[in-house]
């Protein structure tokens, strides 16, 4: 069962990407005798859960990780962190001297293209004690295409300037820069 839990259901012809305890138990019951484990022919979801807990396996969960593909990642990260540290020191100095505005404004900008614009087709169902411990959401949704989000964060005061655009081109980025230019005083 442990070996089975460490494989993907898709590899065995199922449509699911991850195992649920119920699906794993059903598969084990169906194939236990032919695999030489007749004692598992009546394995319930609780049996599967107990075995997985003993092995500290959670095949129904996904944990994301960051694979470093850029060999210069460490140096680039160091440069970015030094900028943030410099901004923090400037903010402290400005607060200590009670200066009204920083002499240098530092803005962090990021963009997220291809964000799905989706709408729920039914209202969420609230949790119900002893019945449904979580919010229920219908699996169907209406898709309204994709959008690009461009945003900037002022590292001194936390002010955000953002745009939501239907396209992702340089002119949308230039529009964000113009919004930033309009927000800050010319000096």
């Amino acid at each position: 069962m442990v070996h089975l839990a460490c494989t993907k259901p898709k590899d065995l012809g199922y449509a699911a990407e991850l195992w649920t305890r119920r699906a794993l138990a059903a598969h084990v019951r169906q194939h236990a005798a032919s695999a030489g484990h007749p004692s598992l022919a009546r394995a319930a979801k609780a049996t599967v859960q107990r075995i997985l807990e003993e092995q500290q396996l959670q095949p129904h969960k996904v944990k994301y990780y960051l694979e470093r593909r850029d060999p210069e990642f460490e140096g680039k990260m160091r440069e970015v962190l030094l900028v943030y540290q410099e901004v923090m020191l400037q903010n402290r100095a400005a607060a200590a001297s009670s200066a009204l505005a920083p002499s240098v404004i530092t803005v962090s900008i990021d963009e997220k293209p291809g964000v799905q614009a989706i709408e729920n087709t039914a209202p969420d169902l609230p949790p119900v004690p002893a019945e449904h411990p979580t919010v229920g959401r219908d699996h169907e949704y209406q898709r309204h295409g994709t959008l690009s989000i461009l945003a900037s964060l002022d590292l001194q005061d936390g002010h955000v300037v953002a745009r939501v655009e239907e396209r992702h081109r340089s002119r949308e980025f230039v529009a964000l820069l113009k919004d930033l230019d309009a927000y800050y005083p010319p000096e």
Side-chain angles (χ1 to χ4, degrees), residues 109 163 172-182:
I109 297 177
R163 297 181 70 88
E172 283 77 22
F173 185 75
V174 169
L176 176 70
L177 294 176
K178 287 180 179 178
D179 290 350
L180 283 168
D181 189 48

Side-chain angles (χ1 to χ4, degrees), residues 38-107:
S39 62
L40 292 175
R42 294 187 318 249
K45 186 173 119 179
T47 305
V48 170
Q49 183 170 339
R50 189 170 47 254
I51 292 170
L52 294 178
E53 282 179 359
E54 287 174 5
Q55 299 297 317
Q56 297 180 348
L57 286 175
Q58 298 178 326
H60 59 286
K61 290 188 176 182
V62 174
K63 182 177 180 182
Y64 289 91
Y65 65 94
L66 174 63
E67 183 178 327
R68 294 187 179 145
R69 295 185 178 107
D70 185 353
E72 298 173 6
F73 176 80
E74 296 288 331
K76 292 175 181 177
M77 177 185 68
R78 189 175 296 109
E79 286 181 37
V80 170
L81 293 176
L82 285 173
V83 168
Y84 281 94
Q85 184 179 28
E86 185 178 325
V87 170
M88 180 189 67
L89 294 173
Q90 287 176 357
N91 287 344
R92 285 184 185 164
S97 68
S98 63
L100 296 177
S103 60
V104 176
I105 296 171
T106 308
V107 179

Side-chain angles (χ1 to χ4, degrees), residues 137-185:
R137 180 167 291 157
D138 188 12
H139 69 281
E140 290 187 15
Y141 57 87
Q142 184 177 6
R143 190 160 188 253
H144 297 289
T146 58
L147 299 171
S148 290
I149 301 172
L150 301 113
S152 67
L153 171 68
D154 185 316
L155 299 180
Q156 278 80 19
D157 66 8
H159 179 78
V160 173
V161 174
R163 297 181 70 88
V164 177
E165 302 283 355
E166 291 187 12
R167 300 200 50 196
H168 187 76
R169 302 171 298 184
S170 59
R171 67 179 59 168
E172 283 77 22
F173 185 75
V174 169
L176 176 70
L177 294 176
K178 287 180 179 178
D179 290 350
L180 283 168
D181 189 48
Y183 175 75
Y184 291 105

